[in-house]
Amino acid sequence: MAFDAVRGQPAAVDVLTRALASGRVAHAYAFVGPPGVGRKLTAVEFAKALLCPHPMPLTSSPLPGGEKQGEGGMVRVNACGSCPACRRVEAGTHPDYMLIAPTPPEGRTSGTLLIRIEAIRQLEQRAALRPAEGAWKVFIVDDAGRMTPEAPQAFLKTLEEPPAHTVIILILAHARELPATVLSRCQVVRFMPLREEEAVALLQARGMDEDTARLLARASQGRPGVALAQDPAAWLERRELALAILAEVGADGAAAIFKWGETLGRDRARMEQLIETWWLWHRDLLCAKAGGDPRLLLHGDRAAELTRQAAARSWEGLVEGLAACRDAWQALQRNVTPRLTLEVMLSRLALGAA
Ligand SMILES: [Zn+2]
């Protein structure tokens, strides 16, 4: 396992294994890419590789020769995955390893999840110590873009004068989530959505049947972690609800818009999911109208219905539908109430379908 468990990120794994092989490990890395594509998994495997006293050769993609070679010409840059050190990294109990993730406000179980200054101070204190067991101390900051406003400033001090033998890995969706002063001190490692076949294989390996795996690989747009985080049945149910609402609004107009606004108007998280579902449906309608390859459809299992609906709609109406979804998404991010967001969006979708 170890780095072999990371799927579909050969460039990222290559950067890290080369650093390990050459001994030129950076003090700080920024793992940048969408959630659900293996950023955290890779970070944990990298931590294990740094802390494992019994490294193994890479089995899946041996590096081209040259650098430090082990037996059989293989570079020993992979954690063994089974020694006590590897197991304690996995469990989060290794003394030279720390994973920081966003937390709710102190003393509460709910509230906005943020990387708080106290966590950064704790990281600073531990980074200042010598490694207890291994050659390195490894810190992973998950969702590092969620730092409170004062946290990056505090963090910058550690990055400017990194304590010896310290590796800090920041996990981010976008480079712009952190000030350039912080990011410029990190080596950026990019993570990409997985190709469809890779995502399907990964989901099947987790026990999904092929049809469901393909549907969710497409719906999650190559982010298997996102697909795994949702129950496939719940996803299908949500799609049925989203399409039923559209049909009802088409038939009953304002009465249906009002009814669904009242029914769903308080649930922001559910609204975000529905908007995404409508967005992807309109994307498919546009694809079907353009006569695109049916294999490009996210909702390939509903191809006949998409073709029928697409034929009945104008180009302008479809583009307007996508714009309505996008505007609704942005309205929710700006804290417009879910109810108002839904009502405005459904009115626009109804007009676009007319
Ligand atoms: Zn090990």
Side-chain angles (χ1 to χ4, degrees):
M1 292 304 269
F3 276 124
D4 312 299
V6 178
R7 293 298 158 88
Q9 304 297 346
V13 170
D14 194 51
V15 167
L16 300 173
T17 49
R18 278 175 191 279
L20 288 161
S22 65
R24 288 192 292 272
V25 175
H27 285 296
Y29 290 90
F31 285 10
V32 182
V37 301
R39 301 168 307 171
K40 187 170 154 196
L41 173 70
T42 309
V44 173
E45 293 307 334
F46 188 43
K48 279 197 226 162
L50 286 163
L51 296 172
C52 175
H54 318 285
M56 311 282 281
L58 272 184
T59 48
S60 60
S61 55
L63 290 166
E67 290 135 323
K68 251 190 243 171
Q69 305 254 313
E71 285 156 39
M74 300 280 258
V75 189
R76 293 182 167 271
V77 292
N78 215 1
C80 76
S82 56
C83 73
C86 284
R87 285 208 301 272
R88 279 181 297 156
V89 170
E90 193 74 50
T93 56
H94 193 294
D96 295 324
Y97 168 80
M98 188 178 175
L99 172 68
I100 294 172
T103 54
E106 208 188 335
R108 288 176 47 192
T109 50
S110 62
T112 310
L113 298 177
L114 291 168
I115 305 279
R116 295 170 194 282
I117 187 119
E118 299 76 25
I120 299 297
R121 297 240 185 278
Q122 215 186 337
L123 183 155
E124 277 177 335
Q125 282 165 10
R126 286 189 54 178
L129 303 172
R130 297 176 65 79
E133 291 182 9
W136 299 95
K137 286 160 295 169
V138 187
F139 301 89
I140 299 175
V141 184
D142 197 10
D143 254 332
R146 290 182 163 270
M147 287 194 195
T148 53
E150 71 279 18
Q153 206 50 41
F155 194 55
L156 198 52
K157 276 192 288 176
T158 308
L159 289 181
E160 277 172 342
E161 294 163 40
H165 312 295
T166 298
V167 178
I168 298 171
I169 304 162
L170 305 176
I171 297 180
L172 299 166
H174 303 284
R176 65 169 182 273
E177 288 173 8
L178 283 179
T181 45
V182 170
L183 206 68
S184 65
R185 288 175 170 80
C186 302
Q187 181 175 350
V188 174
V189 181
R190 301 264 170 203
F191 286 73
M192 305 294 168
L194 273 65
R195 287 189 295 118
E196 181 170 325
E197 292 312 318
E198 285 167 339
V200 170
L202 197 150
L203 294 175
Q204 281 185 284
R206 300 293 189 90
M208 271 185 207
D209 65 75
E210 195 191 339
D211 287 347
T212 309
R214 191 162 300 278
L215 186 66
L216 289 190
R218 290 180 178 188
S220 66
Q221 295 167 78
R223 297 169 298 160
V226 172
L228 285 167
Q230 50 190 325
D231 170 8
W235 190 87
L236 286 170
E237 238 169 69
R238 187 161 66 239
R239 180 180 70 175
E240 296 319 309
L241 174 66
L243 297 182
I245 292 173
L246 283 192
E248 207 178 311
V249 168
D252 300 344
I257 292 174
F258 182 77
K259 176 191 130 185
W260 285 109
E262 200 165 62
T263 312
L264 300 168
R266 280 184 198 83
D267 193 340
R268 189 169 289 272
R270 194 154 181 227
M271 194 62 65
E272 285 184 359
Q273 292 172 333
L274 280 169
I275 290 170
E276 189 174 298
T277 309
W278 282 314
W279 160 270
L280 293 172
W281 184 255
H282 278 77
R283 170 215 176 270
D284 270 9
L285 284 173
L286 213 53
C287 181
K289 190 156 185 78
D293 187 333
R295 284 174 300 179
L296 294 174
L297 298 174
L298 292 173
H299 304 281
D301 57 325
R302 305 286 284 266
E305 191 179 344
L306 282 163
T307 309
R308 190 171 46 74
Q309 281 198 22
R313 304 275 296 270
S314 68
W315 286 102
E316 292 75 17
L318 291 178
V319 173
E320 161 65 9
L322 278 172
C325 295
R326 184 201 55 212
D327 293 348
W329 178 265
Q330 288 173 345
L332 279 189
Q333 308 310 310
R334 290 195 310 270
N335 263 341
V336 176
T337 67
R339 179 171 182 168
L340 180 62
T341 305
L342 180 73
E343 290 179 357
V344 170
M345 189 189 67
L346 287 178
S347 309
R348 285 178 65 182
L349 290 183
L351 282 173

